[in-house]
Amino acid sequence: PMGICPTATTSLLTDNFTGILRPWARPEVLTCTSWGAPIIWDSTFDPHVAKQEAKRQNLTIGLTVFAVGRYLEKYLKRFLESAEQHFMVDQSVVFYVFTDRPEAVPHMTLGPGRLLRVEPVQGESRWQDVSMARMRTLYEALGGQLGQEADYVFCLDVDQRFTGNFGPEALADLVAQLHSWHYHWPRWLLPYERDKRSAAALSWGEGDFYYHAALFGGNVAALRKLTAHCALGQQLDRERGIEAVWHDESHLNKFFWLYKPTKLLSPEFCWDLQIGWRTEIHHPRLLWEPKEYALVRN
Ligand code: UDP
Ligand code: MN
């Protein structure tokens, strides 16, 4: 069975949050990277072992989400309700909602050991600026209360909802999400930033996978490094009067090229129903909400 994943035997056997991984349960998909990080697909991990391990370590897991401007009314309530139902059930969880209108955050009844903090941020006139400003804000939050109370943190877009168990099997020091539209594309077609003047630039031949900025995670130290890197890259670009093609996502992809994630989540963890039916997608955990840009963007 190791033949499926010849370079990854070490991490395959020692990932505490997934138990003994079973990559051979999904022979039709890639279950490890060339640098030995597991790519977790449905039925390659044991959610019960993961749950016990997180309990044993007495972890607190943070979930950050931004809801600025019209994104708040449109998405936040369903996001939070579905997260309460499916995200890290039975663990200590802190939700961090960053918004320009703290008073409009819906009231939530949360289970024991779960709490919600609302953090004020300023609005931006362009949606791209809201999206990119998250890196700087997260960097600061990770250096403050969030970083003190959480061991691991997931940073998510608000325009999605949980539809299945999203538990400690997803935890690792640095977690990247395979982009559901691009996971089977040849590398030269991936929409990396190609303009060499940009801090996010990758040249032809660079890049491992195309990762989705709607979900990334890791331990606090790793995420401090990630958010610092991306915020700095964005600032350098701004000073040069340029902007990467996919904004914070381009910088995130550059970071993950330079600093390899230690776990990848399969597209089942952040799926878009618009793609249609795919045999390898067994159990979507998180689904994109329909893109209704006319309603939420200027
Ligand atoms: N966002 C927001 N208000 C805005 C623009 C963006 O709250 O005006 C946040 C929100 O969490 C959103 C994320 O930034 O999910 C990324 O933006 P968006 O989802 O529109 O980008 P896409 O997923 O289409 O690349
Ligand atoms: Mn989004």
Side-chain angles (χ1 to χ4, degrees):
M2 284 305 167
I4 297 162
C5 207
T7 61
T9 47
T10 312
S11 71
L12 281 178
L13 295 173
T14 58
D15 189 318
N16 293 336
F17 293 115
T18 44
I20 301 294
L21 280 158
R22 296 180 294 260
W24 48 89
R26 297 294 301 270
E28 85 285 19
V29 291
L30 189 67
T31 51
C32 68
T33 67
S34 61
W35 60 93
I39 307 173
I40 65 166
W41 292 81
D42 198 53
S43 68
T44 64
F45 54 84
D46 185 337
H48 306 290
V49 173
K51 207 167 174 169
Q52 280 163 20
E53 179 62 20
K55 278 274 187 213
R56 192 186 66 76
Q57 293 190 28
N58 194 23
L59 297 178
T60 296
I61 301 150
L63 175 59
T64 71
V65 70
F66 286 67
V68 174
R70 276 174 280 168
Y71 283 63
L72 193 152
E73 277 81 14
K74 185 93 184 89
Y75 302 115
L76 185 61
K77 190 164 192 287
R78 189 151 51 187
F79 177 92
L80 290 173
E81 282 173 356
S82 66
E84 177 58 11
Q85 209 181 335
H86 298 293
F87 180 77
M88 303 294 165
V89 175
D90 295 333
Q91 309 291 339
S92 309
V93 171
V94 195
F95 297 109
Y96 270 72
V97 176
F98 296 89
T99 180
D100 55 340
R101 280 180 306 138
E103 72 288 351
V105 172
H107 181 75
M108 294 277 301
T109 314
L110 301 173
R114 302 169 77 91
L115 62 95
L116 189 150
R117 299 195 190 282
V118 180
E119 301 290 328
V121 292
Q122 70 178 59
E124 307 281 347
S125 50
R126 298 167 65 244
W127 68 266
Q128 297 93 331
D129 288 330
V130 177
S131 188
M132 289 191 288
R134 293 183 293 175
M135 289 297 183
R136 176 85 196 250
T137 304
L138 288 171
Y139 173 74
E140 283 160 9
L142 289 160
Q145 188 182 26
L146 170 61
Q148 265 151 38
E149 64 190 351
D151 300 293
Y152 293 91
V153 179
F154 281 93
C155 307
L156 268 65
D157 272 15
V158 75
D159 57 342
Q160 41 195 353
R161 79 190 123 104
F162 290 89
T163 53
N165 172 56
F166 194 112
E169 61 274 3
L171 295 174
D173 290 337
L174 188 58
V175 184
Q177 172 65 53
L178 290 177
H179 196 294
S180 52
W181 281 90
H182 302 298
Y183 67 98
H184 55 328
W185 287 21
R187 183 163 66 171
W188 64 273
L189 268 178
L190 297 177
Y192 299 129
E193 174 57 57
R194 300 297 186 182
D195 181 342
K196 290 190 168 49
R197 294 174 301 158
S198 171
L202 288 181
S203 50
W204 306 99
E206 293 184 326
D208 300 299
F209 298 94
Y210 192 78
Y211 303 110
H212 194 182
L215 193 171
F216 58 88
N219 68 39
V220 169
L223 290 179
R224 280 276 281 178
K225 186 166 150 183
L226 180 157
T227 52
H229 177 99
C230 294
L232 178 63
Q234 289 170 177
Q235 189 188 319
L236 291 172
D237 279 12
R238 201 174 310 116
E239 285 164 10
R240 288 176 201 154
I242 54 177
E243 187 170 278
V245 57
W246 289 112
H247 322 106
D248 45 304
E249 187 166 85
S250 303
H251 293 274
L252 182 74
N253 273 277
K254 174 75 175 230
F255 180 83
F256 282 142
W257 166 247
L258 298 173
Y259 306 97
K260 306 299 188 202
T262 60
K263 182 178 283 182
L264 272 59
L265 304 182
S266 80
E268 296 165 311
F269 282 81
C270 191
W271 185 245
D272 183 3
L273 287 178
Q274 305 278 358
I275 293 170
W277 185 75
R278 291 278 185 283
T279 42
E280 66 273 23
I281 305 303
H282 291 183
H283 181 195
R285 315 287 165 134
L286 195 61
L287 286 177
W288 302 17
E289 294 287 6
K291 297 280 181 196
E292 292 179 275
Y293 291 143
L295 295 177
V296 292
R297 287 182 178 170
N298 300 321

